[in-house]
């Protein structure tokens, strides 16, 4: 809020605490705060693709400080609360840019538990080493020498299979922090459109098949053996297959 107040006062070089009523002045304040990215992406995706955008963590402090303070978790919980209060479509794609990747991961998990089909989880310029069973796309900038692992490793995706069941990578134009500029936004939007379309073609898991009950008990504490029971409480049967291991 202090940062917003500062930008508002800079607009007319006056001590004020009121947001400007003029649309152009509001846009200037939004640009000064770095919120122009949302409009740029919405325009590039087109009116047929709804977009809900939330403030990134950039500018709130260093990543270590954020993690130590629990800010990532708090932000994720607040955004999840906001999203679940909305009339969301049954099928969604969730994305996060750099520092917002852990937030996107928690949002996708919460939406899935709430009965929404998360067709794809999309990360920009960061890989999160946590197991994820759904479809995932990770985007890196063609010129992003610091964040694109292709500049650092001969086989940059070698270890991803340990965490991802259906993960893949794509390269887009630009470098870190420049993807929403006019010369790069088209490449980002096209990659997102392709991923959303591909996820839809793959089919969405029906809401009636997205629950499972898991219980475990110790069989032999000395031998470190446990018995795990998986029960299907849904009205649809779990299909046997390579992915389900049934």
């Amino acid at each position: 809020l202090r940062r917003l107040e500062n930008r508002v006062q800079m607009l007319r070089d006056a001590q004020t605490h009121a947001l400007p009523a003029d649309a152009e002045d509001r846009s200037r304040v939004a640009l000064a705060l770095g919120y122009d990215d949302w409009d740029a992406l919405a325009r590039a995706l087109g009116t047929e693709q709804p977009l809900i955008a939330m403030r990134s963590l950039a500018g709130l402090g260093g990543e270590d400080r954020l993690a130590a303070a629990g800010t990532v978790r708090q932000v994720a919980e607040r955004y999840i609360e906001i999203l679940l209060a909305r009339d969301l479509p049954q099928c969604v794609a969730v994305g996060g840019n750099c520092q917002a990747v852990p937030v996107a991961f928690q949002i996708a998990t919460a939406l899935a538990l709430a009965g929404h089909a998360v067709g794809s989880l999309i990360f920009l310029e960061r890989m999160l080493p946590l197991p994820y069973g759904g479809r995932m796309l990770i985007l890196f900038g063609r010129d992003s020498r610091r964040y694109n692992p292709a500049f650092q490793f001969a086989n940059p995706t070698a270890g991803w299979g340990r965490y991802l069941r259906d993960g893949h990578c794509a390269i887009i134009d630009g470098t870190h922090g420049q993807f929403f500029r006019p010369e790069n936004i088209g490449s980002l939007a096209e990659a997102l459109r392709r991923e959303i379309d591909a996820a839809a073609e793959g089919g969405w898991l029906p809401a009636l098949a997205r629950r499972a009950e898991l219980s475990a008990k110790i069989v032999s504490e000395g031998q470190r053996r446990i018995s795990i029971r998986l029960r299907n409480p849904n009205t649809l049967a779990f299909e046997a297959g390579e992915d389900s291991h049934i």
Side-chain angles (χ1 to χ4, degrees):
L1 288 176
R2 177 62 189 140
R3 189 163 166 260
L4 172 60
E5 179 188 55
N6 177 257
R7 298 305 188 271
V8 170
Q9 292 173 353
M10 287 170 60
L11 187 65
R12 293 286 181 266
D13 194 22
Q15 289 295 319
T16 178
H17 304 285
L19 288 172
D22 181 76
E24 187 172 344
D25 284 346
R26 284 177 179 261
S27 295
R28 289 196 182 102
V29 173
L31 287 167
L33 286 166
Y35 293 166
D36 55 317
D37 297 352
W38 305 347
D39 284 340
L41 182 56
R43 287 194 299 271
L45 287 174
T47 55
E48 73 283 357
Q49 177 58 60
L51 172 69
I52 299 176
M54 293 176 166
R55 182 73 174 97
S56 107
L57 300 181
L60 295 181
E63 193 167 347
D64 292 341
R65 177 180 154 197
L66 288 173
T71 308
V72 170
R73 177 181 54 79
Q74 293 171 8
V75 170
E77 289 176 352
R78 177 58 181 149
Y79 286 175
I80 290 166
E81 180 183 358
I82 293 171
L83 288 170
L84 291 179
R86 295 179 63 97
D87 184 21
L88 293 177
Q90 192 63 40
C91 307
V92 297
V94 178
N97 178 10
C98 193
Q99 283 189 347
V101 159
V103 176
F105 184 90
Q106 294 185 49
I107 288 174
T109 302
L111 291 180
L113 290 173
H116 294 276
V118 178
S120 182
L121 179 56
I122 304 169
F123 292 161
L124 180 57
E125 293 270 274
R126 184 173 176 183
M127 162 62 178
L128 195 66
L130 291 174
Y132 185 72
R135 181 184 177 94
M136 180 184 289
L137 170 67
I138 305 175
L139 299 171
F140 292 102
R142 194 180 313 280
D143 304 315
S144 188
R145 303 189 70 86
R146 180 179 176 184
Y147 293 89
N148 186 339
F151 287 101
Q152 311 295 331
F153 306 100
N155 187 4
T157 63
W160 290 11
R162 297 177 57 190
Y163 306 103
L164 308 179
R165 181 186 69 84
D166 185 14
H168 51 294
C169 176
I171 303 299
I172 59 175
D173 294 340
T175 187
H176 196 77
Q178 307 295 318
F179 300 116
F180 297 89
R181 287 180 172 268
E183 64 270 24
N184 297 323
I185 190 66
S187 178
L188 171 61
E190 180 58 28
L192 295 178
R193 279 195 294 265
R194 284 198 304 266
E195 177 63 11
I196 291 170
D197 290 344
E201 289 175 3
W204 306 95
L205 187 64
L208 296 177
R210 285 199 292 269
R211 296 286 181 181
E213 293 179 0
L214 189 68
S215 60
K217 64 179 181 180
I218 297 175
V219 175
S220 173
E221 191 166 342
Q223 297 179 3
R224 298 183 179 179
R225 292 176 56 205
I226 61 172
S227 172
I228 299 176
R229 182 171 183 267
L230 177 67
R231 179 179 174 273
N232 177 11
N234 306 293
T235 58
L236 295 180
F238 288 159
E239 297 293 337
E242 183 178 342
D243 290 334
S244 67
H245 298 285
I246 297 176

